[in-house]
Amino acid sequence: MDDIMFERLNTAKQRLKEIDEQLVDENIVRDINLFKTLSKERSSLEPQVDKFNEYLKTIEDKKQALEMSNDSDSDIAEMGKEEFKRLSALELQIIEELNLLLIPKDPNDDKNIIVEIRGAVGGDEANIFAGDLFRMYTKYAETQSWKMQVLDSSPCEAGGYSLISFKIKGEKVYSKLKFESGAHRVQRVPKTEANGRIHTSTATVLVMPEADEIDIQINPSDLQIDTYHSQGAGGQNVNKTESAVRITHLPTNTVVACQTEKSQIQNKELAMQMLRAKLYADALAKQEQERGSERKLKVGTGERSEKIRTYNYPQNRVTDHRIGFTIQKLDRVMEGELDEIIDALIHFDQQNKIAGELKK
């Protein structure tokens, strides 16, 4: 381990000790916001410090093993050599794990998300595919014990959706699904195709971290709020009461709508959550551009050339073009088995961040 890494970890260890002392201070316990902030910082530091302590113990054990390897008793010396070899391998493993733990955390990783899926290029087939993607994410959310809530939808007669918006709540949702934003391309024979020709269509996915009022402050005078009759499922309220809500943010011309709840008040609150998420996502994109970093996961227009991933049904193949990752398990992926793809994307992102840290 180099000196810079050691110093960073040692500083983290000292900071964790300071936080533990602060968290038992009655004045801090009474300050709910400060207590939450310190607790959050502690939870981010603890894994690093625990692993660092494991590293320090391994180094100490290595010293003892080295002493044993020089013992006059040949059996003890042999045991020492074997132990030294084992601990050396363990040391390298711990350093690799520490490199991952020291990667700067995305502050949004723990947040819930709001997702928009739109049928793009391909007419009815694009909308049907949008519905397939929605089902895929629904299945994946079930495997993670996450909760989903549909916020808005525009079903199509042929099947699927021209637009569907939904919220996913759970542990570290954004950290796992943030790489899904972009144009998804499908290659298959549509049900409406009489000659058995393979068609190519696209649907776009936009994943946005949920934003609190603290993250995004919205001036009420900047909003145009319209109400209208719900068009979807809603029992007695459908087309009888103006429970659906559409909100336009005038400065940015950002429009959101919600009609899934029976209450206009509930729909308005959900629509405001969607609006905050959209404005927050735009603000994050601007920050990235100002820092000069390329926005790798843009949504774009949904043109076939802007694909991030291809779902090829004849070959049962899924390919993520950003990292050159391919698996022949499309049937299982569409049933929500996304872990292999998501893990590959996370690993690729981590390796890039580690490389960036080493250049500093």
Side-chain angles (χ1 to χ4, degrees):
M1 181 183 295
D2 61 43
D3 293 341
I4 295 175
M5 185 177 186
F6 186 91
E7 187 58 36
R8 285 181 66 184
L9 289 164
N10 200 42
T11 300
K13 185 174 182 177
Q14 295 302 317
R15 176 58 183 157
L16 185 64
K17 183 179 178 183
E18 291 173 7
I19 292 174
D20 284 339
E21 291 172 355
Q22 289 177 298
L23 288 176
V24 295
D25 186 316
E26 291 184 3
N27 293 324
I28 289 177
V29 172
R30 283 195 291 266
D31 187 334
I32 297 175
N33 290 331
L34 179 56
F35 186 82
K36 284 182 178 179
T37 300
L38 288 172
S39 297
K40 188 174 182 179
E41 184 182 358
R42 189 189 188 287
S43 66
S44 67
L45 288 173
E46 188 175 26
Q48 298 176 11
V49 174
D50 286 348
K51 188 60 64 174
F52 182 49
N53 287 334
E54 185 181 343
Y55 168 81
L56 294 175
K57 184 178 184 304
T58 301
I59 295 301
E60 190 60 35
D61 290 345
K62 270 185 69 178
K63 291 178 182 178
Q64 295 178 12
L66 185 60
E67 291 178 6
M68 286 177 61
S69 67
N70 293 319
D71 197 276
S72 56
D73 188 310
S74 60
D75 289 339
I76 293 177
E78 186 60 30
M79 286 174 57
K81 290 176 183 177
E82 288 298 317
E83 184 66 0
F84 184 84
K85 183 179 178 181
R86 184 188 72 82
L87 291 168
S88 295
L90 178 60
E91 178 189 359
L92 293 176
Q93 179 186 327
I94 292 173
I95 290 175
E96 186 175 340
E97 291 172 359
L98 282 167
N99 273 320
L100 290 177
L101 289 170
L102 287 173
I103 293 174
K105 296 291 187 296
D106 185 333
N108 295 309
D109 274 352
D110 292 332
K111 291 190 174 184
N112 301 323
I113 62 173
I114 290 175
V115 184
E116 275 189 3
I117 303 177
R118 294 176 181 268
V121 176
D124 287 343
E125 174 64 7
N127 296 332
I128 291 170
F129 181 51
D132 293 338
L133 291 176
F134 171 62
R135 180 179 179 276
M136 178 184 77
Y137 292 125
T138 300
K139 291 282 188 180
Y140 180 69
E142 288 172 0
T143 69
Q144 304 297 307
S145 298
W146 294 339
K147 293 182 179 179
M148 286 188 63
Q149 178 183 16
V150 174
L151 303 175
D152 190 27
S153 66
S154 298
C156 298
E157 289 185 10
Y161 304 90
S162 60
L163 162 69
I164 183 162
S165 303
F166 53 97
K167 180 178 180 179
I168 304 181
K169 297 173 64 176
E171 186 177 355
K172 297 185 179 297
V173 180
Y174 185 71
S175 70
K176 292 190 176 182
L177 291 182
K178 62 183 175 182
F179 300 115
E180 294 302 299
S181 287
H184 295 238
R185 181 175 74 167
V186 62
Q187 295 175 325
R188 64 185 177 188
V189 179
K191 295 177 181 177
T192 55
E193 171 56 53
N195 298 319
R197 292 177 300 179
I198 295 174
H199 287 221
T200 298
S201 306
T202 58
T204 60
V205 176
L206 175 60
V207 177
M208 301 168 285
E210 188 178 28
D212 299 324
E213 291 184 27
I214 298 173
D215 299 320
I216 290 291
Q217 295 183 355
I218 299 173
N219 189 337
S221 64
D222 289 338
L223 302 179
Q224 175 182 311
I225 302 176
D226 301 303
T227 59
Y228 57 100
H229 296 299
S230 297
Q231 300 299 313
Q236 297 178 355
N237 283 337
V238 175
N239 295 322
K240 291 187 178 181
T241 62
E242 292 192 345
S243 58
V245 175
R246 182 188 299 109
I247 301 177
T248 304
H249 185 247
L250 299 175
T252 61
N253 199 32
T254 301
V255 181
V256 295
C258 184
Q259 59 174 331
T260 57
E261 301 298 320
K262 294 180 180 180
S263 163
Q264 186 183 113
I265 294 175
Q266 290 176 310
N267 282 327
K268 181 181 177 182
E269 174 55 33
L270 290 172
M272 285 300 297
Q273 290 179 23
M274 294 167 68
L275 180 61
R276 282 194 292 269
K278 281 197 169 187
L279 296 178
Y280 186 51
D282 288 343
L284 292 175
K286 287 178 182 177
Q287 286 178 5
E288 291 176 2
Q289 290 172 358
E290 288 170 1
R291 288 196 297 263
S293 59
E294 181 182 355
R295 198 175 175 210
K296 297 178 182 177
L297 302 176
K298 69 173 184 176
V299 175
T301 61
E303 291 294 333
R304 293 177 178 89
S305 60
E306 295 179 340
K307 62 186 180 296
I308 64 164
R309 190 177 299 155
T310 293
Y311 304 73
N312 186 294
Y313 275 72
Q315 298 177 18
N316 196 36
R317 169 174 57 82
V318 181
T319 298
D320 195 288
H321 303 285
R322 294 165 295 181
I323 59 175
F325 180 81
T326 297
I327 53 174
Q328 306 289 144
K329 301 177 182 178
L330 182 143
D331 54 337
R332 289 159 64 177
V333 167
M334 299 311 292
E335 290 298 316
E337 296 186 25
L338 286 166
D339 283 328
E340 279 190 69
I341 298 173
I342 289 172
D343 289 346
L345 286 163
I346 290 174
H347 178 73
F348 181 82
D349 182 61
Q350 288 175 338
Q351 294 307 308
N352 279 345
K353 286 179 177 177
I354 290 173
E357 287 293 299
L358 292 175
K359 289 178 182 178
K360 291 182 180 179

